[in-house]
Amino acid sequence: MAYIIGVIGGDGIGPEVVAEGLKVLNAAGVEIDIVAYDLGGDRYLRDGTVLSDEILEEWRGLDALYLGAVGTPEVPPGVIERGLLLRMRFELDLYVNRRPFQGHMALSEEIAADQEAFTFEVIRENTEGTYTGEGGFLRRYTPKEVATQGSVNTRYGVERCVRYAFELARSRPKRHLTLVHKTNVLTFAGDLWERTFNEVAEEYPDVATAYNHVDAACIYFVQDPKSYDVIVTDNLFGDILTDLAGAVSGGIGLAASANLNPDRTGPSMFEPVHGSAPDIVGTGKANPTAAILSAAMMVEFLGEASAATRIRAACAVPEIQHGTTTEIGDAIAERV
């Protein structure tokens, strides 16, 4: 029986990389029925649509969502991000953002020469923190303007994300989980995260734990990424850290992500970390590997572990990372 997948190609290179992901899924023998959705910056510019209630309701009946990239320079910042991506996360309760990283590339030859291969995953809380939109303006557009931006953290939201991270760490060989925050400055949110983490840790005596301030973690990501196994952090820190992790593990074009509803009360959404890159649309320069790896995460979440393993193995062949968008997709599909 085929899986029903909602596909949002989106803007820029989004449709290009998604096409390669679907090609590889077909080569892997995964049966899917596609429901295409025209959403993103281009659609907004045409008729003002961002995400309608009707489409959101349709999504609740799908098995998964697969997204390329959204955003165009002509659309004001925040319109698509908040109206589509964040609304999707909040409404479908995609409370875990899971991003795996592996590689041995680094930001400098000196570091690379002394760096072993590494693999780690970042678990980012996906529905709270500074992204909830709490805040506002006072005396806007005046010399005495005030802007506030709050961070919303609930015990419920933090704990379910932390528990997911502990379960993931328990399933990996190193069985190690690091909490990343800024508890010495963010003494309210940080305290909630740290207390919750420590209390849940008591239920996982087989998982070793550690804590890093987020600024220290940025240093360790570059200097010693092999020291990490699983990392759990809040929404904003996770957003920043995973872009850095993409850079140190070979480039943002290799970074996949899953926006998960682990309770499976609705579809989860899978997307590459990179943006829409309108400057290279149609040039064949877009690397589809991140989108293909995101597709692998999607089918694994749906229960197709064997296909996901084969796709990841094909993507790991170094020589396939050279060529045009379609050439890379063809090479991966052939190896699957």
Side-chain angles (χ1 to χ4, degrees), residues 258-330:
N259 297 268
L260 301 177
N261 177 333
D263 304 325
R264 300 178 189 266
T265 57
S268 294
M269 187 270 280
F270 303 81
E271 60 174 333
V273 174
H274 61 69
S276 59
D279 56 319
I280 60 170
V281 173
T283 65
K285 294 180 179 179
N287 189 331
T289 304
I292 293 169
L293 289 170
S294 298
M297 295 183 76
M298 177 173 68
V299 296
E300 182 174 52
F301 191 74
L302 294 173
E304 302 289 339
S306 175
T309 299
R310 286 184 283 120
I311 293 170
R312 280 193 288 265
C315 290
V317 178
E319 53 265 29
I320 68 167
Q321 296 304 323
H322 304 284
T324 66
T325 306
T326 55
E327 287 171 348
I328 294 173
D330 288 343

Side-chain angles (χ1 to χ4, degrees), residues 100-159:
F101 300 95
Q102 61 181 351
H104 60 273
M105 301 180 69
L107 296 178
S108 72
E109 292 183 3
E110 291 78 9
I111 295 173
D114 190 43
Q115 185 168 286
E116 300 173 9
F118 62 85
T119 175
F120 64 82
E121 299 207 31
V122 178
I123 301 303
R124 163 189 171 191
E125 200 290 316
N126 213 29
T127 59
E128 295 189 347
T130 52
Y131 289 42
T132 60
E134 192 277 330
F137 292 100
L138 179 65
R139 297 189 295 270
R140 195 177 187 189
Y141 304 124
T142 75
K144 296 181 179 180
E145 181 173 2
V146 178
T148 64
Q149 193 80 57
S151 179
V152 177
N153 300 266
T154 68
R155 171 66 189 228
Y156 169 75
V158 172
E159 183 172 338

